[in-house]
Amino acid sequence: MTQTADSPPLRPAGSFVIGTRGSPLALAQAHEFAGRMSEAHGWASDELAVDVIRTTGDSIQDRPLSEAGGKGLFTKEIDAAQLEGRIDFAIHSAKDLPTALPAGLVIAGYMPREDVRDALIARDATSIAGLRRGAIVGSASLRRQAILRRARPDIEIVLLRGNVGTRLDKVARGEIDATLLAFAGLKRLGLADRISALLPLDECLPAVGQGAIAIVIREGDEGSSEALAPILCRDTGIALAAERAFLTELDGSCRTPIAGHATVSGERFHLRGLLLSPDGTAIAEDACSGPVADAAALGAELGRSLRVRAPRGIYT
């Protein structure tokens, strides 16, 4: 970042602390963030301290998050550490962030987004259609469950929690026939070779925020904001503004299967949104486009429109 004679000096790397969950994927994302910051500012790779924080969501493995309290279970302990001043940057998978952050915290921006597609990991299939009749598929995502049930009403879906490695191992051991995971996470963990197939967006629209890493800071923390500026991705920020506004209007609290994906081309954006009933039989979808300056407003408008037109069974 360019400094002028009147600018305060950038805080040294050693004065910043990164907060993250302790899963292998969360740590990979935190280290990717640290690497980008080090490259941008010429810091040594080990100068940014990392505080690994165990969250309530990490402790719950026996039931869906929708029954335990929603997305905030993966963030509340990290939020508390940030508000207490223990950490400066909180690194989150954007799709894990609740639509409203606690007072005093803001999303400062996003790193460049990875591929948003879902990946099929299966023992004996290279597509959802190719899964054996009555196959057992593990997933904790209501969105993925609904999409699977819509495509294949015959399959059995079981709850699958745990980190990426745990889920892959259950498929490899034959405890389940298949699972769906985010391609972005598998790539960041160096596990893309375990993928049986990448699912096209028209077959499996991703979760809002999928593939994006969000950086949360304290509101008014100018030092952290200034340090972040060189690594933030404009287009990802615009796309996520549209997606998160869409999700907010639909009560995106893990109780309703919701998908949404926005893309940016120059000064225009395009957003596609999807609502499903939990059993996949009812569906509502639509899209919007417009200037990037209106991304959040038009995303919210699309969310309100879909909610009004949602068939019975989606909002029970």
Side-chain angles (χ1 to χ4, degrees), residues 221-241:
D221 184 350
E222 295 182 5
S224 293
S225 179
E226 180 184 10
L228 283 174
I231 73 162
L232 300 182
C233 178
R234 166 193 177 267
D235 286 0
T236 302
I238 293 165
L240 267 290

Side-chain angles (χ1 to χ4, degrees), residues 35-50:
R36 289 180 182 272
M37 290 287 281
S38 297
E39 183 177 356
H41 298 294
W43 295 336
S45 59
D46 59 352
E47 282 190 274
L48 282 166
V50 177

Side-chain angles (χ1 to χ4, degrees), residues 11 13 33 87 99 112 142 157 186 204 216 232 247 274 283 287 315:
R11 283 169 51 189
F33 168 76
I87 63 173
T99 52
L142 293 183
I157 296 177
L186 292 166
C204 193
V216 173
L232 300 182
L247 186 66
L274 172 67
I283 187 171
Y315 285 98

Side-chain angles (χ1 to χ4, degrees), residues 68-172:
K71 294 181 179 181
L73 295 174
F74 281 129
T75 62
K76 67 178 184 177
E77 286 83 3
I78 297 175
D79 293 340
Q82 195 157 30
L83 290 169
E84 291 166 6
R86 283 173 44 202
I87 63 173
D88 301 289
F89 305 117
I91 310 304
H92 298 283
S93 294
K95 69 178 180 178
D96 288 340
L97 281 177
T99 52
L101 271 60
L105 299 180
V106 294
I107 300 174
Y110 306 85
M111 292 191 288
R113 196 175 200 172
E114 252 294 358
D115 193 310
V116 303
R117 287 174 292 176
D118 277 312
L120 173 70
I121 293 89
R123 299 180 67 215
D124 301 303
T126 57
S127 66
I128 291 175
L131 291 167
R132 69 175 179 86
R133 184 165 183 80
I136 300 173
V137 180
S139 179
S141 162
L142 293 183
R143 173 188 61 88
R144 290 176 179 141
Q145 291 175 10
I147 288 171
L148 285 166
R149 288 184 173 118
R150 184 170 181 81
R152 289 288 305 273
D154 61 292
I155 65 174
E156 178 184 352
I157 296 177
V158 298
L159 177 66
L160 182 62
R161 294 291 311 281
N163 63 40
V164 171
T166 298
R167 301 182 194 202
L168 293 174
D169 288 345
K170 286 184 179 290
V171 176

Side-chain angles (χ1 to χ4, degrees), residues 192-210:
D193 61 330
R194 303 287 291 273
I195 295 171
S196 304
L198 288 173
L199 303 181
L201 295 180
D202 59 359
E203 180 179 341
C204 193
L205 197 67
V208 163
Q210 186 154 303

